[in-house]
Amino acid sequence: MREVLATLTDAGHEAVLVGGSVRDLLRGQPPGDWDVATSAAPEAVAGLFPGSTWLNRFGTVTVSPSRARPIEVTSYRSETGYRDRRRPDEVRFGVALERDLERRDFTVNAMAWRPADLETGDGELIDPHGGRADLAAGILRAVGDPASRFEEDALRVLRAVRFATGLGLQLEPATADAMRAAAPTTTEVSGERVRDELLRILGDPVALPSRALRLMLDAGVLAAVLPELAALAGVPQGKPLSGDALDHSLRTVDALPAGDPVLRLAGLLHDLGKAVTLADGHFIGHEEAGAEMAAAVLDRLRLPHADVARITHLVREHMFAYAPDWTDAAVRRFVRRVGPDALDDLFALRAADNLASGVAEPARGGIDELRTRIAEVAAAAPLATHQLAIDGFDLQAALGLPPSPEIGRLLGELLEATIEDPALNEREALLDLARRLAAPVD
Ligand code: ATP
Ligand code: MG
């Protein structure tokens, strides 16, 4: 960071720390990232840092200093317009730092620190909007007119939720009113931007996500960005428990680890199906309906396909009910269906679901017993095709088949057979079975 500031100032430009890094330093917290702003134009910044990348017209250049994490260097700019409520119509560079601070969202994010001496760390705080006082008083306040700020960019509604709960700040009343008024317009924010904010809310290492999600509910933001979840408000829990299905979902999220926001998202969405299966009084099939609803939500939020698959799979499987009378083959079938790699996720979700329902896992017939039994059966029999005594090449050679989907199908069938009868997992027995299972060549 010093290196980046020094390179810019040595070249005759003004360079300051801005945004979250100044805010976090004033709070006595290590900044999550360093945001640098400069009077230099983006072209000049890119020229000073070989290997830097310049992605968009907003003048942010990502530079990668030696031995350090990438730093975003943003050229001072002012913004006007926002006719589409998403991005400014016009961005102007070459403005003074004070103009650049005016375009920022909240007073606590609109401070800059100008270094006087990088060696000693002497410098000057530039704080035209009173961010330092607001931070000290525990207040989150929009810069300038709150209504216009949320109208310009509705994502700020979600950012307000994240900063208020993450930093433990109270919303200043006019900011809170404007936020509520703008909540319905968050439907216009792109799925990607909502996703990134939501995952940051869910990944907060300290603040419980339920606080942020409640704030979203109260302000009308949840109904706009996650209507399927908001619909769980008032849906009674299936069991004789207090609260509704939304309370339960929020408690489940809180009980999952912050280090895995995608798993927390699975916890948030795991009971979505309860809103549509309520009619039967028992939520029959809510995991199947819920998995489909979760897929629709996650596609809308542009989650990567792997995360969508991970979450929908957990939603679909979360109702599994282990009983001590399961045969070893039943345990193997369970592992096969869930997939060995998804077991930890599924057990973590079950533990959180239990905690959120006030249900204790029984010592006999509980998850711990199932884990032990899985370890036992895994040691004794294959649970995945790569653990079979033969592989696809053996099948091709023995059956005279070309590489084709048929080979994969056969391996799957052989695995199913060995799951029922582990004694089959032996070369000749498997080849024999494969010959019988192979589609007749015509
Ligand atoms: P974090 O600690 O989470 O990185 P941050 O405040 O640094 O928080 P960034 O998203 O890194 O947040 O943005 C850096 C700065 O850019 C913010 O502090 C704020 O001044 C400004 N900013 C970012 N997004 C917006 C926005 N949508 N509207 C207005 N200003 C914004
Ligand atoms: Mg930042």
Side-chain angles (χ1 to χ4, degrees):
M1 180 272 293
R2 280 166 208 266
E3 190 185 325
V4 174
L5 290 173
T7 305
L8 286 162
T9 46
D10 289 353
H13 304 292
E14 208 177 284
V16 296
L17 279 184
V18 280
S21 41
V22 178
R23 180 196 70 216
D24 292 341
L25 288 172
L26 286 174
R27 293 171 62 235
Q29 300 282 326
D33 53 15
W34 298 105
D35 297 302
V36 170
T38 179
S39 59
E43 298 87 343
V45 177
L48 282 171
F49 299 96
S52 57
T53 47
W54 178 13
L55 286 181
N56 56 34
R57 67 186 179 94
F58 299 112
T60 300
V61 177
T62 305
V63 308
S64 304
S66 54
R67 313 184 313 277
R69 272 185 299 165
I71 292 179
E72 300 209 323
V73 179
T74 307
S75 301
Y76 294 168
R77 66 174 197 253
S78 64
E79 298 172 344
T80 46
Y82 292 94
R83 268 171 306 184
D84 68 356
R85 288 238 184 91
R86 289 180 200 194
R87 54 187 85 80
D89 300 336
E90 204 197 335
V91 174
R92 215 152 62 82
F93 297 114
V95 302
L97 172 60
E98 279 69 18
R99 286 298 304 281
D100 181 88
L101 294 176
E102 267 168 33
R103 69 164 177 93
R104 296 176 182 270
D105 46 9
F106 304 105
T107 62
V108 296
N109 288 346
M111 297 179 272
W113 180 78
R114 184 186 281 132
D117 183 341
L118 279 170
E119 292 305 314
T120 60
D122 280 349
E124 172 200 2
L125 185 74
I126 298 143
D127 179 20
H129 305 285
R132 180 182 215 163
D134 281 345
L135 200 56
I139 292 171
L140 188 70
R141 182 197 312 267
V143 170
D145 172 46
S148 340
R149 305 322 305 278
F150 289 118
E151 265 168 43
E152 287 162 4
D153 181 4
L155 184 76
R156 291 172 187 164
V157 172
L158 281 168
R159 287 175 57 90
V161 170
R162 172 161 67 89
F163 291 122
T165 52
L167 305 176
L169 305 177
Q170 293 291 320
L171 283 156
E172 175 269 329
T175 302
D177 288 347
M179 177 185 152
R180 243 172 267 281
T185 65
T186 50
T187 52
E188 294 168 34
V189 178
S190 75
E192 289 88 341
R193 296 180 82 205
V194 173
R195 171 199 64 204
D196 291 348
E197 280 304 319
L198 185 63
L199 288 175
R200 294 182 75 169
I201 286 170
L202 295 179
D204 194 302
V206 182
L208 288 178
S210 61
R211 287 199 47 232
L213 291 157
R214 285 243 168 260
L215 183 54
M216 286 171 67
L217 179 72
D218 295 343
V221 195
L222 202 64
V225 298
L226 287 173
E228 300 87 347
L229 186 70
L232 291 180
V235 174
Q237 287 232 60
K239 304 147 197 164
L241 287 168
S242 64
D244 55 26
L246 181 61
D247 293 320
H248 170 71
S249 301
L250 299 194
R251 280 198 291 262
T252 306
V253 177
D254 285 348
L256 285 161
D260 194 344
V262 173
L263 183 59
R264 276 190 158 176
L265 189 52
L268 188 64
L269 305 182
H270 82 283
D271 270 348
L272 280 192
K274 283 192 173 170
V276 294
T277 54
L278 172 65
D280 62 29
H282 299 282
F283 306 114
I284 301 293
H286 84 262
E287 61 272 35
E288 195 51 51
E292 277 170 35
M293 294 170 77
V297 170
L298 298 169
D299 285 341
R300 191 173 73 226
L301 295 181
R302 301 272 184 268
L303 258 85
H305 289 302
D307 292 338
V308 179
R310 181 179 173 207
I311 294 173
T312 52
H313 182 60
L314 287 173
V315 174
R316 187 170 284 119
E317 298 296 340
H318 84 272
M319 291 297 289
F320 75 91
Y322 168 69
D325 64 358
W326 277 17
T327 61
D328 284 353
V331 174
R332 288 193 293 269
R333 279 195 297 270
F334 170 76
V335 176
R336 170 92 176 124
R337 190 184 75 234
V338 172
D341 297 339
L343 288 171
D344 284 345
D345 276 1
L346 189 63
F347 293 154
L349 178 58
R350 170 57 61 86
D353 198 355
N354 282 342
L355 207 66
S357 313
V359 172
E361 193 67 27
R364 178 98 178 94
I367 293 179
D368 286 343
E369 185 182 301
L370 178 55
R371 273 187 199 279
T372 308
R373 291 201 55 198
I374 288 171
E376 284 164 11
V377 299
L383 296 169
T385 50
H386 72 264
Q387 296 168 315
L388 287 169
I390 59 170
D391 62 16
F393 295 111
D394 296 321
L395 277 185
Q396 288 175 38
L399 302 181
L401 286 172
S404 66
E406 171 72 356
I407 300 289
R409 184 190 70 82
L410 283 172
L411 285 173
E413 288 210 28
L414 294 179
L415 180 63
E416 302 302 337
T418 49
I419 280 172
E420 295 307 322
D421 178 8
L424 272 175
N425 191 26
E426 182 270 315
R427 188 180 164 85
E428 283 314 315
L430 289 176
L431 288 177
D432 220 42
L433 181 58
R435 284 190 198 96
R436 278 181 279 132
L437 290 170
V441 185
D442 42 32

